[in-house]
Amino acid sequence: MENSEKLTNSKEVIAYIAERFPKCFTIEGEAKPLKIGIFQDLAERLSEDPKVSKTQLRTALRQYTSSWRYLHGVKAGVSRVDLDGNECDVLEQEHVDHALKALEESKAKVRTRRKEQAMAKAAKEGEAKKTRTKSAKPKNIKQKTAKVNKKPVETTRVLNADEVIVGKDVQVNMGSGNMPATIVEINKDDVRVRLTNGLVMAVKAEHLRS
């Protein structure tokens, strides 16, 4: 029996329309520019579908077309596609310029937010270190000096914002170590990566290493 339960959020709606129209929508990798008026086509095709409403479609479509992976796909010379994957009009330069501007503004906001979060984290850690130093009691016990064979430190660094791109091989900082992965999707608040074992997970950009 087919599940006709109504979808509850834009992420579910996007996944659903990507399943219904795979030649037009995608949930991974660079997205194709959509035909102008695609909302009307979607609303008509899904007018009898109990799982999704026009309001949900409009909201999900707005989220889809403002995502970084969609804006990355709006390039000069590329054609728009309809629901069946048929090519329509070639993108106009003003639309390409608009997408580029929106992408840069979105990335700038994320960089600013990450910088503020990093500063707040550093300040918090500084206060915690001061507290630990004050509460530490001096010890008069002489410690034996012994040679310790230290493992070489893994030389990794946090990715720059312009290095966070779909298809890039990265290291994911898991706390106890780094795990190799590949970026498959970039969102405003997190990045989706695929680990070598095939598992796809969402992580914060600050946990990505090069």
Side-chain angles (χ1 to χ4, degrees), residues 24-91:
C24 179
F25 297 93
T26 176
I27 58 174
E28 290 186 358
E30 193 170 273
K32 300 176 182 177
L34 303 176
K35 166 192 172 184
I36 294 176
I38 198 81
F39 169 73
Q40 286 79 4
D41 295 344
L42 261 179
E44 183 177 342
R45 290 280 193 98
L46 300 176
S47 60
E48 303 298 325
D49 195 321
K51 298 185 71 172
V52 61
S53 67
K54 283 187 177 182
T55 301
Q56 288 177 308
L57 283 176
R58 185 178 288 107
T59 302
L61 200 59
R62 188 180 300 115
Q63 179 176 315
Y64 184 83
T65 55
S66 63
S67 67
W68 286 9
R69 62 192 191 87
Y70 180 86
L71 296 174
H72 270 295
V74 180
K75 304 173 184 175
V78 177
S79 296
R80 297 177 180 274
V81 296
D82 62 14
L83 292 178
D84 301 312
N86 300 314
E87 293 188 353
C88 304
D89 299 329
V90 175
L91 286 167

Side-chain angles (χ1 to χ4, degrees), residues 107-165:
K107 285 185 175 181
K109 289 180 181 179
V110 171
R111 284 195 294 268
T112 300
R113 185 166 66 248
R114 287 176 184 166
K115 185 177 180 180
E116 291 173 348
Q117 290 173 344
M119 292 175 65
K121 182 179 179 181
K124 186 176 180 180
E125 290 177 347
E127 289 298 323
K129 187 176 180 179
K130 288 180 181 179
T131 302
R132 288 195 298 269
T133 302
K134 289 180 180 179
S135 61
K137 295 181 179 179
K139 295 182 179 180
N140 296 321
I141 302 174
K142 294 183 178 180
Q143 297 181 349
K144 295 181 179 180
T145 57
K147 293 183 179 180
V148 179
N149 294 323
K150 294 184 178 180
K151 294 183 179 179
V153 178
E154 189 175 3
T155 56
T156 61
R157 62 177 178 79
V158 178
L159 293 179
N160 296 324
D162 56 359
E163 293 179 299
V164 181
I165 56 177

Side-chain angles (χ1 to χ4, degrees), residues 159-200:
L159 293 179
N160 296 324
D162 56 359
E163 293 179 299
V164 181
I165 56 177
V166 173
K168 183 175 182 62
D169 293 329
V170 297
Q171 296 286 327
V172 181
N173 190 309
M174 305 296 287
S176 58
N178 296 328
M179 295 185 66
T182 302
I183 296 176
V184 297
E185 181 180 353
I186 302 170
N187 299 311
K188 291 184 179 180
D189 298 321
D190 56 43
V191 179
R192 292 177 67 83
V193 299
R194 180 180 287 110
L195 303 179
T196 53
N197 62 5
L199 177 67
V200 176

